[in-house]
Amino acid sequence: MRLRALLETDALGLRLLGGEDELDRTVRGVMTTDLRDPSRYLSGGELVLTGLAWRRDASDSEPFVRILAGAGVAGLAAGEAELGDIPADLVEACVQHRLPLFAVNETVAFATITEHVVRQVSGERAGDLAAVVDRHRRLMTSGPAGGGPEVVLDLLTSDLDLRAWVLSPTGRQIAGAGAPLPTPLGAALAGHHLAATRTGRRGPHRAAVAGSTYSLFPIRNAGRGAVPAARDVRESVLSDWLLAVEADASDWPAARLDLLQGVTQLIAVERDRRDAARTVRRRLAQEVLELVQAGAAPAEIAARLRVAAPVLLPGLGVAPQWQVVVARVDWTAGETTGPAGVPGDIAGGPVAQALLEEILVDPAVSGPDSADRIAVAHTGEEAIALVPLPAVPAPLPEAVGTSTDNAHNAAGPAEDSAPQDPALHAEALLASVREPLSAGLADDGRLTLGVSAAVHSAEGLRGALEEARHARRVAAARPGRVCAAGHHELASHVLLLPFVPDDVRRAFTARLLDPLRDYDRRHRAELIETLEAFLDCDGSWTRCAARLHLHVNTLRYRVGRIEQLTGRDLSRLEDKLDFFLALRMS
């Protein structure tokens, strides 16, 4: 805005005392000060408001005005409440340095002027930024020249003082301006967004997390992979991105809300481009999967893998190992959150495919193209990922032959230098995404996931696929909205426990554990905790006593009480096994 516009606003009570030729200066901000030297707080273009408390005598005016002029301020407005009329020495100093000077009527508060300037300047910046957003949208639609969503997020920060991030449905940062968003905070924001979306409320959604307020704007995929608006929200809720802005948008004017909607449309273009690039990887996975399921010769599958490996592992050429991950999203039959009359039947395969592509990305890696080594196909209601694993580097020669004592003394560095296992682990995949996904699944959805062991050749892929499917069925037999199981659980009692009928499970655990629970409740004892620790320590009295911080005699008394209440003998393997299974099933 211009200085002239301030003078023409009667409500501000400004009277021009000098600098009529400079009224076309642009005002970029406002600052109130009574410091003798406020230069450190000035960046240029401000209207400076002062109550003249810095002035002791006439000699103070010229140095003060010289500092303001040197900082490039737009003008000076002095209040009449302190001294009545504005001193002539101040008027002369402003004329000398060509600085426009206004007198502020004593009935007008500086806060009134400040609010007016901030509102006008912010409105003009929003208009300028809207034009930039529109230009970038056109550029990104026609090609990559727009610079990506980071450019517009930077402008939101610099021009409107808004910090914003683009997040995936699991809370992983895809783009942002300034410092990255902490992973737990991103997951919490995504959870708020998914929960609000499932209720059918329109965005933006307000979320208060970690002492700050955020506004969450949905980013609708409007490209080739978009879900029609009339379809059930559950088809897209687990795959749509969101824009998180650190501000409360509930009292924003319509113009600013429209601007942020323009930003989300711009980011949707980037999302469409990302999905187009992912199509190649999906097709490769589909081709390999069809060969494996059809029982094709290993040589034919290996040839297809050689085609896929350079795309999924750029620069390596061949993947030494592969893993298979199977995921499934199930919704309660007959329910819908879509418009009235829309069937509740949802194709689970595409939903699980998009979700599995997100889950397999390292949550610590940001950027829309961080999933370039993930290939996921879907068949029926399942999504199946073919995950190539890079080779683990051999240990350095000097690390070989290290003495036991030296290795023990240097445990920290030795662990740091050891090669990291690249294999996927079922629970680790879901650790950082369980909270937001549970919010998106709400009360009518479930995600189950199974992970195979790594295989070293095409011959092993068929077995790995069956292994991952069996692991997923183990996960499906467990309670909870988000469950996973790995291949290692298929060779233990864990495979059997989920399939024990509920009535048998309840009767078995009640017979063994209810007497102990009743005793703990009545005497405030810790027999259940003692039993768990005793079994976990393989029946070692000394190790169990040390873990529980008890004397061995106290531990022997507790174990004796357990045996007395249950009629079992914890020195017998069969009774130990029964207690172990009862604890696992309870």
Side-chain angles (χ1 to χ4, degrees):
M1 66 178 302
R2 309 280 184 185
L3 283 174
R4 190 181 306 280
L6 292 174
L7 188 62
E8 294 171 351
T9 304
D10 295 337
L12 300 183
L14 297 179
R15 189 172 78 259
L16 184 65
L17 300 180
E20 185 174 359
D21 295 339
E22 304 292 335
L23 291 180
D24 286 328
R25 291 188 181 186
T26 300
V27 180
R28 296 187 177 87
V30 62
M31 175 192 176
T32 300
T33 184
D34 276 311
L35 295 174
R36 296 171 67 87
D37 181 4
S39 57
R40 72 182 67 180
Y41 304 110
L42 298 171
S43 58
E46 296 93 347
L47 172 68
V48 175
L49 306 176
T50 180
L52 300 177
W54 50 266
R55 182 184 179 278
R56 296 188 180 91
D57 54 48
S59 64
D60 292 333
S61 293
E62 194 280 332
F64 180 78
V65 173
R66 182 176 359 108
I67 290 171
L68 299 187
V73 304
L76 174 64
E80 296 178 323
E82 182 74 18
L83 301 177
D85 292 336
I86 305 302
D89 48 88
L90 180 59
V91 177
E92 292 172 3
C94 288
V95 171
Q96 177 185 346
H97 291 282
R98 300 181 62 84
L99 183 66
L101 175 63
F102 302 89
V104 182
N105 191 285
E106 63 180 4
T107 62
V108 178
F110 282 177
T112 301
I113 300 174
T114 299
E115 182 181 352
H116 178 82
V117 172
V118 169
R119 186 167 57 248
Q120 294 299 316
V121 171
S122 296
E124 291 175 0
R125 285 181 175 175
D128 293 341
L129 186 55
V132 173
V133 169
D134 184 63
R135 184 180 75 248
H136 276 262
R137 181 164 61 246
R138 292 196 303 270
L139 288 171
M140 290 185 67
T141 302
S142 59
E150 289 84 357
V151 174
V152 177
L153 298 185
D154 284 335
L155 288 172
L156 287 176
T157 301
S158 61
D159 282 27
L160 296 184
D161 197 26
L162 292 175
R163 299 176 65 211
W165 302 266
V166 178
L167 304 177
S168 76
T170 64
R172 180 177 60 88
Q173 180 173 320
I174 294 167
L181 201 65
T183 300
L185 178 55
L189 292 176
H192 278 281
H193 173 73
L194 291 174
T197 301
R198 285 304 312 274
T199 64
R201 289 191 283 123
R202 295 175 58 87
H205 309 300
R206 184 180 182 276
V209 181
S212 297
T213 301
Y214 299 84
S215 296
L216 311 175
F217 294 80
I219 298 174
R220 305 298 184 194
N221 187 3
R224 289 179 291 274
V227 176
R231 296 294 297 173
D232 194 315
V233 68
R234 291 177 294 181
E235 291 189 335
S236 61
V237 67
L238 297 177
S239 59
D240 281 346
W241 290 356
L242 67 135
L243 176 67
V245 181
E246 191 176 7
D248 187 351
S250 58
D251 58 352
W252 280 5
R256 178 167 288 203
L257 288 173
D258 288 344
L259 170 62
L260 268 295
Q261 294 297 342
V263 172
T264 64
Q265 293 170 14
L266 174 64
I267 297 168
V269 175
E270 174 66 25
R271 171 67 186 272
D272 185 40
R273 180 175 295 115
R274 194 286 308 259
D275 286 345
R278 183 171 283 183
T279 301
V280 176
R281 298 190 292 275
R282 287 177 171 178
R283 185 168 62 248
L284 288 172
Q286 196 73 41
E287 291 173 354
V288 174
L289 176 63
E290 290 173 357
L291 290 175
V292 170
Q293 290 185 315
E300 186 178 358
I301 299 174
R304 186 65 63 184
L305 288 176
R306 284 193 294 272
V307 174
V311 177
L312 301 178
L313 288 173
L316 296 183
V318 177
Q321 299 181 85
W322 299 86
Q323 271 184 288
V324 176
V325 182
V326 174
R328 179 172 174 135
V329 175
D330 293 291
W331 303 100
T332 302
E335 295 190 16
T336 180
T337 54
V342 176
D345 297 333
I346 301 171
V351 176
Q353 180 182 42
L355 190 53
L356 188 53
E357 287 171 336
E358 173 61 28
I359 290 173
L360 291 175
V361 179
D362 184 347
V365 177
S366 62
D369 297 321
S370 55
D372 60 355
R373 294 185 177 183
I374 297 168
V376 183
H378 72 82
T379 173
E381 297 300 303
E382 287 182 334
I384 301 169
L386 188 66
V387 183
L389 302 177
V392 178
L396 297 175
E398 55 267 27
V400 179
T402 304
S403 70
T404 304
D405 292 339
N406 290 341
H408 177 75
N409 294 335
E415 290 178 2
D416 292 341
S417 60
Q420 186 176 4
D421 180 12
L424 302 174
H425 299 277
E427 277 302 315
L429 285 176
L430 299 181
S432 63
V433 302
R434 180 173 275 109
E435 178 186 350
L437 293 185
S438 296
L441 292 164
D443 295 329
D444 58 346
R446 287 200 76 205
L447 166 66
T448 52
L449 184 146
V451 180
S452 78
V455 295
H456 301 269
S457 65
E459 289 88 343
L461 279 180
R462 185 176 180 85
L465 175 59
E466 291 306 314
E467 191 173 56
R469 282 174 166 162
H470 280 305
R472 192 206 64 78
R473 284 193 283 270
V474 170
R478 295 171 174 166
R481 290 290 166 196
V482 180
C483 299
H487 60 91
H488 61 282
E489 300 182 51
L490 301 182
S492 74
H493 64 281
V494 177
L495 176 63
L496 303 177
L497 294 184
F499 301 101
V500 176
D502 287 343
D503 55 342
V504 176
R505 182 195 303 263
R506 285 192 295 269
F508 181 76
T509 58
R511 188 177 303 115
L512 283 174
L513 301 183
D514 278 2
L516 306 182
R517 291 181 178 130
D518 291 342
Y519 188 89
D520 283 348
R521 188 165 44 251
R522 284 186 285 109
H523 299 280
R524 296 184 178 180
E526 297 176 341
L527 297 186
I528 291 290
E529 180 184 352
T530 301
L531 177 61
E532 290 176 337
F534 187 72
L535 295 176
D536 197 39
C537 293
D538 298 324
S540 169
W541 296 99
T542 55
R543 284 195 289 126
C544 183
R547 174 181 292 191
L548 296 175
H549 305 290
L550 299 174
H551 191 277
V552 172
N553 289 340
T554 303
L555 176 61
R556 290 185 183 277
Y557 171 80
R558 289 189 181 180
V559 170
R561 178 65 68 185
I562 292 172
E563 293 175 335
Q564 179 186 10
L565 291 171
T566 60
R568 299 298 186 106
D569 182 356
L570 278 169
S571 65
R572 298 179 65 248
L573 175 62
E574 293 85 348
D575 288 341
K576 287 181 182 177
L577 179 60
D578 285 346
F579 276 122
F580 174 80
L581 293 174
L583 289 169
R584 285 300 179 94
M585 288 191 293
S586 63

